[in-house]
Amino acid sequence: MNRNISLYLATSLFLFSLNVNAEEYKTTGEMTTEERIKVSDSKGEYIECLDESAITRLQTQNDIRVVADHSMKDCAPVLEDLYDYLTAANYAPDATKGFLRSISNRAVNKLLSNLMMFAAARPK
C-alpha cells in the first residue's frame, strides 16, 4: 500500500509540474489599448513605407512585381519591430506571425492594385 501511495503521489506531482510549466499566451482579442495603437501605427507606417519605396523604384523599374518585391524587402523591418513588440508582450509567436502576414498581404495587395492602375495609365 505504501508503494501505491508513493506512485500516486509521484504521478500527481509530475502532472502538476507539467501544468505549472505550461506557458500561457495572450490572444489578439486581449490586446490593450496601447497595443492596439502600436499595431495600428505600425500598419500605417508599413503601408506608407511600401508606397514611398514603390514610388522610388518605379523611376528605375518597369516591372511592378519587382517593384512590389523590393518594397516589401525595404519595409520588412517595420513588421519585424512589431513582431518583437508583440512577442515581448507575451503573444504566441506563431499567432503573431499569422497576424503580421495578414497585415502584409492586405497592404501588398493594395499596393499591387495601385501599381497596376499606374502601369495601365502610363503612356507607352
Side-chain angles (χ1 to χ4, degrees):
M1 174 124 161
N2 193 16
R3 185 170 188 232
N4 288 342
I5 292 174
S6 297
L7 183 60
Y8 175 74
L9 184 59
T11 305
S12 297
L13 289 174
F14 175 73
L15 291 174
F16 180 72
S17 70
L18 285 177
N19 193 20
V20 169
N21 291 330
E23 200 166 345
E24 287 278 332
Y25 290 114
K26 295 192 292 185
T27 64
T28 54
E30 300 172 8
M31 279 189 179
T32 64
T33 303
E34 178 185 325
E35 291 166 344
R36 289 187 190 281
I37 290 170
K38 173 68 174 170
V39 167
S40 179
D41 289 347
S42 295
K43 186 193 294 188
E45 184 181 344
Y46 182 68
I47 292 169
E48 185 178 323
C49 179
L50 284 175
D51 291 341
E52 289 174 2
S53 178
I55 289 169
T56 303
R57 295 249 181 228
L58 278 173
Q59 296 171 4
T60 59
Q61 179 61 253
N62 288 331
D63 189 351
I64 60 173
R65 295 169 297 176
V66 173
V67 170
D69 187 47
H70 283 285
S71 296
M72 288 173 60
K73 288 177 186 172
D74 292 344
C75 301
V78 174
L79 293 181
E80 290 168 1
D81 289 344
L82 182 58
Y83 174 81
D84 293 341
Y85 176 82
L86 291 175
T87 54
N90 201 30
Y91 288 92
D94 291 338
T96 303
K97 286 179 186 175
F99 183 62
L100 296 180
R101 192 176 312 113
S102 173
I103 291 172
S104 175
N105 287 345
R106 288 180 182 173
V108 171
N109 285 339
K110 183 67 174 171
L111 176 69
L112 282 170
S113 173
N114 290 340
L115 288 173
M116 285 189 282
M117 286 190 296
F118 174 79
R122 187 175 12 186
K124 298 182 180 179

